[in-house]
Amino acid sequence: MEILKTIRDTKSCISELKKQGQTIGLVPTMGYFHDGHLELMRRSLEKGHATIVSLFVNPAQFGPAEDFDSYPKNLQRDLDLAKEIGVKAVFMPTINDMYPKGYKTYVEVEGLSNVLCGEHRPGHFRGVATVVLKLFNIVKPDEAFFGQKDGQQVIIIKKMVQDLDLDIPIEVIPTVREEDGVAMSSRNAYLSPVERQAAPILYQTLKLLEEMILEGERNVSLLLEAGKNNILKEPLADLQYIDIRSTDDLSPLEELRGEFMIATAVKVGPARLIDNIVLRV
Ligand code: AMP
């Protein structure tokens, strides 16, 4: 497995692979791998792609009071896991290579970036869209792999691909969960054992709303009220939002219709946890 530390080396590695007739699958990550990350890599490999994993904790997507400095890291373990799975190369650029002095250009996916998580993390999705477009331009993938865990991110990236004519198919992998339903996340490492016991409240609440919907409930404010009340029952959970939005354009709904995402963000101790499910009626 190659370890690529510069954009230049990465571009030449990719052009070599393409010359050999290989297709390229890109898995963008911030590292500290768990089974969710590994699923994305496996899927890309299953499809026969020479699989490039980017490992970059992107400062542009963190707010000033967020966890950029403390984001969990275990580089050697990540590299061992990626190698074992059959990844072709890990691209791990420096911040200076990605955003050299004088860097000026950012991508804004309007309207989709300032709701849900975007409302609580101003500038986050601008940073995400910018780094993903840069990764697409550096790696020129034939396909890119993202997780449903970050449901809003997926909608924003698909919109950017469409609006900027990028012609890169995006495959979305279902959320990989722990046995108790908690969505795997690098940030789960921030939880103390007691806080970890509170973390299932997110998925339990999503499942509660799913059940109400299966039983015929279509009124969004009523569903959201039930969701909030359920999260309130967990004393360690500090709700940021729970919302139901159309998966087309993240517009709010009054009555359920078509395909929609129920999404929530909850602070548990030092960790900001997110989860979502997509349903259709
Ligand atoms: P991150 O390193 O957290 O930025 O995540 C890198 C990629 O892995 C993103 O596309 C995430 O959506 C995806 N991912 C993270 N957690 C999970 C999970 N539990 N299940 C599926 N995909 C995930």
Side-chain angles (χ1 to χ4, degrees), residues 28-31 34 36-37 40 71 145-150 153 173-176 183-186:
T29 81
M30 299 203 298
H34 51 66
H37 296 113
L40 303 187
Y71 198 80
F145 296 81
F146 292 87
Q148 180 57 41
K149 154 88 190 329
D150 298 275
Q153 169 171 286
I173 273 61
T175 302
V176 179
M184 289 192 183
S185 163
S186 308

Side-chain angles (χ1 to χ4, degrees), residues 65-136:
E66 293 184 352
D67 57 344
F68 175 71
D69 289 323
S70 55
Y71 198 80
K73 288 178 184 55
N74 191 341
L75 181 58
Q76 195 51 55
R77 178 174 176 271
D78 286 354
L79 295 176
D80 291 346
L81 286 168
K83 183 172 176 187
E84 194 182 307
I85 252 179
V87 164
K88 181 64 83 183
V90 173
F91 171 46
M92 31 181 302
T94 62
I95 294 174
N96 199 43
D97 208 11
M98 290 294 269
Y99 303 108
K101 197 163 178 288
Y103 187 90
K104 294 284 185 216
T105 307
Y106 294 88
V107 181
E108 185 86 51
V109 182
E110 292 181 355
L112 304 183
S113 298
N114 55 359
V115 297
L116 306 177
C117 284
E119 200 180 322
H120 295 267
R121 304 186 69 189
H124 170 66
F125 289 112
R126 174 186 193 250
V128 169
T130 301
V131 81
V132 170
L133 181 59
K134 281 177 71 75
L135 292 169
F136 285 176

